[in-house]
Amino acid sequence: MRRSDSDNSAAPADAASTREKLLEAAARLFLERGYAATGVSAVLAEAGVRSGSMYYFFKSKDDLLVGVLDRYLELLRPVLIEPVEAATADPIDRVFTLLAFYRHFLVSTNCRLGCPIGNLALEISDTHEEARQKVVQNFENWCAVVAGWLVDAGERLPASCDRGALSRYVLTVMEGGQMQAKAQKRIEPYDASIAGLRDHFNRLEAEARAEKERNG
Amino acid sequence: MRRSDSDNSAAPADAASTREKLLEAAARLFLERGYAATGVSAVLAEAGVRSGSMYYFFKSKDDLLVGVLDRYLELLRPVLIEPVEAATADPIDRVFTLLAFYRHFLVSTNCRLGCPIGNLALEISDTHEEARQKVVQNFENWCAVVAGWLVDAGERLPASCDRGALSRYVLTVMEGGQMQAKAQKRIEPYDASIAGLRDHFNRLEAEARAEKERNG
DNA sequence: GTCTATAGAGTGATAGAC
DNA sequence: GTCTATCACTCTATAGAC
């Protein structure tokens, strides 16, 4: 399957690179300005790509959005989860290390941007069905990882504590905290939200310890 | 100041009504489609008003957005707080009655729309400064009311518990829960979020009771 | 696969008569 | 205060040469 000899059609050059540049530019602009407020022409300018090329890879602006959300699905583990697991061994600490990663991103952008998935979730869920499903998948995968850590925490959480439900609660607090940080352009609301969650975890861990003592 | 005799200029007819219709239409459409995705012409059609009239009351689309957020500031007490306080006397229960009001709104729209303020918060905070400040004011007023209830709860919460911080945490959970409900088009994620918060409150109340016992 | 050129509809906003 | 008409621009998307 060499393409160098008699393949005189569609010479791919670096096809991946063009597609990549479009996804990267679109992701950045959708995050900075929102989906509807970002014109295709802005994506093209940012990517240094011409209209014809974009519509070769993506059949519409909507399709580009779906591509961006697919990219986020791919990036979850290498960009977020693996660094967290490498940095932190303790399963409960991993949850808060993950939340600290988001904090770092917030601070490094002066709290202007917020969560890429969360922003799109609210903007497009009711009007772009395919993209909405990708948002849900992003949330699901995120929660599955966190739920795994909570399962790893074993007896450090009460036996009655539903790990899946708690992982979704962690997402709730993370997104709610980022929303307020973005609105206020200050990190404090995010920190306060995580502190609230930390307090909740402390109480869950205390209950688990008491449980353990009672049972010998 | 009668306007019926020699006032041959700018006969106000029902000026308020036109402005009102525009705000109502804009609020509905911004909620259903988002700010950027809503054209001025759609607002005009929905309100049954012509372009010239709109630009008499609002100097730009942005200005209309600010007007909508001002309207939400006005509506907080009559539409949300007063009904909650009328329905529920217990200060801590009032918090969860308020959260149940949002649940009702979510369910009644099949979880399609979410929180009007939260949606706009993420869409416009980074690009529309004046509107962003109105969003912040909406959040502040909401939290001030909730914080007041938490203060009313007195010794039912631990002495060390910061009521203002807790009110913001309640907002965090409410917004994060609505985001997931909207993304999934199901009420369950919202209910699970509120259940998580309820569990946290239960533990805070338990600690307050233990505190009280210790101190006589 | 990439380019240019452009279609065709829609955008926010304004002017000026009434 | 409301109306019509319209400007100047941007939007997404496509056609067809290379």
Side-chain angles (χ1 to χ4, degrees):
Chain A
M1 262 294 208
R2 293 158 62 229
R3 73 156 83 103
S4 43
D5 30 36
S6 63
D7 187 340
N8 60 345
S9 78
D14 46 355
S17 159
T18 294
R19 212 188 113 97
E20 240 43 33
K21 276 189 278 190
L22 285 164
L23 286 174
E24 196 189 339
R28 178 164 50 249
L29 291 171
F30 292 168
L31 175 57
E32 287 179 359
R33 312 181 187 175
Y35 174 70
T38 300
V40 170
S41 59
V43 176
L44 296 174
E46 184 90 353
V49 165
R50 249 55 60 206
S51 161
S53 296
M54 193 206 111
Y55 284 99
Y56 172 81
F57 291 107
F58 302 96
K59 70 177 187 298
S60 66
K61 185 188 176 188
D62 268 43
D63 195 40
L64 181 59
L65 171 62
V66 171
V68 166
L69 287 163
D70 272 328
R71 168 53 40 91
Y72 283 133
L73 282 173
E74 295 166 13
L75 293 181
L76 174 65
R77 292 200 157 267
V79 169
L80 231 40
I81 304 309
E82 284 164 17
V84 166
E85 295 191 332
T88 310
D90 181 275
I92 292 182
D93 288 350
R94 278 177 170 174
V95 174
F96 290 92
T97 298
L98 176 61
L99 297 173
F101 268 52
Y102 285 101
R103 181 189 199 278
H104 178 262
F105 177 67
L106 272 171
V107 168
S108 74
T109 59
N110 296 312
C111 304
R112 293 188 307 106
L113 306 183
C115 172
I117 314 293
N119 294 352
L120 289 173
L122 292 194
E123 184 177 1
I124 56 77
S125 283
D126 189 38
T127 44
H128 297 75
E129 178 58 20
E130 195 182 352
R132 192 204 116 243
Q133 289 174 24
K134 296 290 181 183
V135 165
V136 170
Q137 195 60 55
N138 271 277
F139 283 163
E140 286 298 305
N141 291 7
W142 195 95
C143 288
V145 170
V146 172
W149 292 338
L150 297 176
V151 168
D152 292 343
E155 296 184 330
R156 290 175 49 202
L157 292 172
S160 66
C161 168
D162 178 333
R163 271 65 171 170
L166 186 55
S167 76
R168 286 174 162 77
Y169 189 68
V170 173
L171 177 59
T172 289
V173 175
M174 186 274 274
E175 292 290 358
Q178 290 216 46
M179 179 189 288
Q180 285 179 70
K182 175 167 179 167
Q184 294 198 30
K185 284 199 196 166
R186 303 186 307 124
I187 193 62
E188 283 79 3
Y190 182 76
D191 284 342
S193 296
I194 303 312
L197 185 68
R198 177 78 260 184
D199 179 69
H200 196 172
F201 265 78
N202 288 343
R203 292 170 195 279
L204 290 170
E205 292 185 68
E207 183 189 328
R209 281 193 300 273
E211 238 174 31
K212 217 173 167 182
E213 255 170 53
R214 274 199 305 279
N215 301 344
Chain B
M1 260 295 207
R2 293 158 62 230
R3 73 156 83 102
S4 42
D5 30 36
S6 63
D7 187 340
N8 60 346
S9 78
D14 46 355
S17 158
T18 294
R19 210 187 114 95
E20 241 42 36
K21 277 189 278 191
L22 285 164
L23 287 173
E24 196 189 338
R28 177 163 52 250
L29 291 171
F30 292 168
L31 175 58
E32 287 178 0
R33 312 180 186 175
Y35 174 71
T38 300
V40 170
S41 60
V43 176
L44 296 174
E46 184 89 354
V49 165
R50 250 53 60 205
S51 162
S53 296
M54 192 205 112
Y55 285 100
Y56 173 80
F57 291 106
F58 303 96
K59 68 176 190 299
S60 66
K61 185 188 176 188
D62 269 42
D63 195 40
L64 180 60
L65 170 62
V66 171
V68 166
L69 288 163
D70 272 328
R71 169 54 40 92
Y72 284 132
L73 282 173
E74 294 166 14
L75 294 181
L76 173 64
R77 292 200 157 268
V79 170
L80 230 40
I81 304 308
E82 283 163 19
V84 167
E85 295 191 333
T88 310
D90 182 275
I92 291 182
D93 288 349
R94 279 177 170 173
V95 174
F96 290 91
T97 299
L98 176 61
L99 297 173
F101 268 52
Y102 285 101
R103 181 188 199 279
H104 179 261
F105 177 68
L106 271 171
V107 169
S108 73
T109 59
N110 296 313
C111 304
R112 292 188 310 104
L113 306 182
C115 173
I117 315 291
N119 293 352
L120 289 173
L122 292 194
E123 184 177 1
I124 55 76
S125 284
D126 189 38
T127 44
H128 297 74
E129 177 58 20
E130 195 182 352
R132 192 203 117 244
Q133 289 175 24
K134 296 290 181 184
V135 166
V136 170
Q137 194 61 55
N138 271 278
F139 283 163
E140 287 298 304
N141 290 8
W142 194 96
C143 287
V145 170
V146 173
W149 293 338
L150 298 176
V151 167
D152 292 344
E155 296 184 328
R156 289 174 52 202
L157 293 172
S160 66
C161 168
D162 179 333
R163 271 64 171 169
L166 186 55
S167 75
R168 286 174 162 77
Y169 188 69
V170 173
L171 177 59
T172 288
V173 175
M174 186 274 272
E175 292 290 358
Q178 290 216 46
M179 178 188 290
Q180 284 179 69
K182 175 166 179 169
Q184 295 197 30
K185 283 198 196 165
R186 303 186 308 124
I187 193 63
E188 284 78 3
Y190 182 77
D191 284 343
S193 297
I194 303 311
L197 185 67
R198 178 77 260 183
D199 180 68
H200 196 173
F201 265 79
N202 287 344
R203 292 170 195 277
L204 289 171
E205 293 184 69
E207 183 190 328
R209 282 193 300 273
E211 238 173 31
K212 219 171 168 182
E213 255 172 54
R214 272 199 307 279
N215 300 344

